[in-house]
């Protein structure tokens, strides 16, 4: 219910307002803020608790509520990359959310996602693309509401492993580090920077099966990842306890294909191969959606 509107006294037409009007603004402002803040507190508490009513699908032949699908993007991209998958999930009656990944470091990003998940009621299928896979690997650890993990051309790191090190799994090699444009950010000093994929190499590395015009827009609008996230070690991986699914993009120019297979095998994931560039969720949304629905069905 929206808070009842309040009416402030009209200001005097003279340049100096009456003292009683000026001093009245502070309690009026406090009253105006009190209701939204109270609603926010009540909303987050309610969201963190189990839903009182069954979700879509429950009570119509399905024994449990459908999980919410939470999709996490990686570096050099944003949440809009999940758009085609979200449209397909919505048509199937799923609730799908793609939060913004801060891209400020693995531990920090995982904590952000962990906090975000605390506001999502009921079961969750957690999906990660690229570096987003490293984030979900850490954020889902110990969360009983996460029923499945889906990796779409993503990093499924082991404990103590970094994104940079994972590129070498299975004998693979990636030249993405050799094609980064680095820019400082406030407080980065000389030891860190924001990393972008060189626009001249973006389509080859990131989006080889998208039209040139679309890839050029993605290159121009990419969100940078902090450079130090390439060497930050991962924590205890959630995939050791949560059923996992992996979509291998067999024409990926960023994560080496041998490394993707090695990570999928290590986690015992149900693996699907797609002849795709790194942005498999954009160029092959039907295949990725099918894997997510399979994971949700478990």
């Amino acid at each position: 219910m929206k808070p009842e509107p309040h009416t402030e006294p009209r200001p005097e037409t003279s340049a100096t307002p009456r003292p009683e009007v000026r001093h009245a603004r502070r309690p009026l402002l406090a009253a105006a803020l009190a209701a939204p803040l109270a609603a926010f507190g009540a909303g987050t508490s309610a969201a963190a608790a189990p839903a009182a009513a069954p979700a879509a699908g429950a009570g119509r032949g399905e024994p449990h509520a459908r999980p919410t699908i939470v999709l996490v993007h990686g570096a050099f991209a944003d949440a809009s990359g999940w758009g085609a998958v979200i449209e397909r999930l919505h048509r199937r009656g799923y609730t799908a959310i793609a939060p913004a990944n801060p891209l400020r470091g693995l531990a920090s990003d995982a904590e952000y996602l962990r906090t975000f998940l605390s506001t999502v009621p009921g079961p969750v299928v957690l999906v990660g693309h690229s570096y987003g896979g490293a984030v979900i690997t850490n954020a889902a650890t110990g969360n009983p509401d996460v029923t499945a993990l889906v990796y779409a051309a993503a990093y499924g790191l082991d404990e103590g492993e970094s994104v940079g090190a994972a590129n070498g799994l299975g004998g693979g090699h990636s030249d993405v580090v050799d094609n980064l444009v680095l820019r400082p950010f406030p407080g980065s000093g000389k030891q860190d920077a924001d990393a972008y994929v060189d626009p001249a190499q973006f389509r080859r590395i990131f989006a080889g099966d998208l039209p040139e015009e679309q890839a050029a827009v993605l290159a121009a609008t990419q969100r940078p990842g902090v450079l130090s996230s390439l060497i930050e070690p991962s924590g205890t991986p959630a995939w050791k306890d949560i059923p996992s699914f992996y979509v291998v993009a067999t024409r990926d120019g960023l994560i080496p294909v041998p490394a993707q297979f090695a990570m999928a095998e290590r986690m015992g994931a149900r693996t699907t191969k797609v002849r795709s560039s790194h942005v498999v969720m954009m160029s092959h949304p039907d295949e990725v959606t099918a894997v997510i629905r399979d994971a949700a069905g478990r």
Side-chain angles (χ1 to χ4, degrees):
M1 180 178 294
K2 295 183 179 179
E4 292 294 327
H6 64 271
T7 303
E8 292 191 30
R10 289 177 178 268
E12 296 293 314
T13 56
S14 61
T16 304
R18 293 183 302 175
E20 63 269 25
V21 174
R22 182 167 59 246
H23 294 314
R25 292 185 181 276
R26 184 170 297 173
L28 284 171
L29 178 61
L33 289 175
L37 288 172
F40 173 77
T44 52
S45 298
R60 293 197 298 268
E62 294 187 16
H64 301 290
R66 281 184 171 180
T68 298
I69 313 300
V70 178
L71 306 118
V72 182
H73 68 85
F76 321 124
D78 61 29
S80 66
W82 290 110
V85 170
I86 291 172
E87 289 174 359
R88 286 158 174 77
L89 289 170
H90 283 176
R91 286 201 296 266
R92 294 287 184 171
Y94 290 94
T95 297
I97 314 171
N101 185 353
L103 304 177
R104 297 296 86 192
L106 184 51
S108 173
D109 296 338
E111 183 61 28
Y112 179 90
L113 180 58
R114 190 177 297 114
T115 304
F116 179 89
L117 292 175
S118 72
T119 70
V120 180
V124 169
V125 169
L126 199 49
V127 187
H129 171 246
S130 193
Y131 167 75
V135 176
I136 71 171
T137 294
N138 285 264
T141 300
N143 187 337
D145 291 330
V146 178
T147 61
L149 302 169
V150 178
Y151 294 83
Y155 291 100
L157 302 181
D158 203 349
E159 187 166 4
E161 190 173 56
S162 68
V163 166
N167 281 332
L169 292 172
H173 173 72
S174 173
D175 68 348
V176 65
V177 176
D178 302 323
N179 291 281
L180 295 178
V181 176
L182 304 181
R183 295 187 170 96
F185 58 85
S188 63
K190 297 182 179 180
Q191 302 301 314
D192 213 347
D194 268 343
Y196 301 77
V197 175
D198 183 350
Q201 301 297 324
F202 187 90
R203 186 167 184 255
R204 174 183 68 82
I205 292 173
F206 208 80
D209 54 357
L210 295 184
E212 288 187 20
E213 296 82 1
Q214 185 179 5
V217 171
L218 292 176
T221 59
Q222 60 182 298
R223 285 187 56 205
V226 64
L227 184 63
S228 57
S229 63
L230 290 171
I231 59 172
E232 186 174 350
S234 182
T236 304
W239 50 257
K240 288 193 173 181
D241 299 309
I242 301 174
S244 300
F245 297 72
Y246 200 109
V247 180
V248 174
T250 62
R251 302 185 72 183
D252 196 332
L254 193 146
I255 304 179
V257 176
Q260 293 186 46
F261 277 114
M263 287 184 282
E265 182 179 3
R266 181 172 64 188
M267 66 177 67
R270 183 179 297 185
T271 303
T272 301
K273 296 186 294 183
V274 180
R275 187 175 173 83
S276 171
S277 71
H278 187 58
V279 287
V280 61
M281 72 288 192
M282 299 180 70
S283 58
H284 294 81
D286 288 329
E287 290 90 332
V288 173
T289 302
V291 173
I292 293 171
R293 291 183 61 218
D294 186 20
R298 295 175 66 87

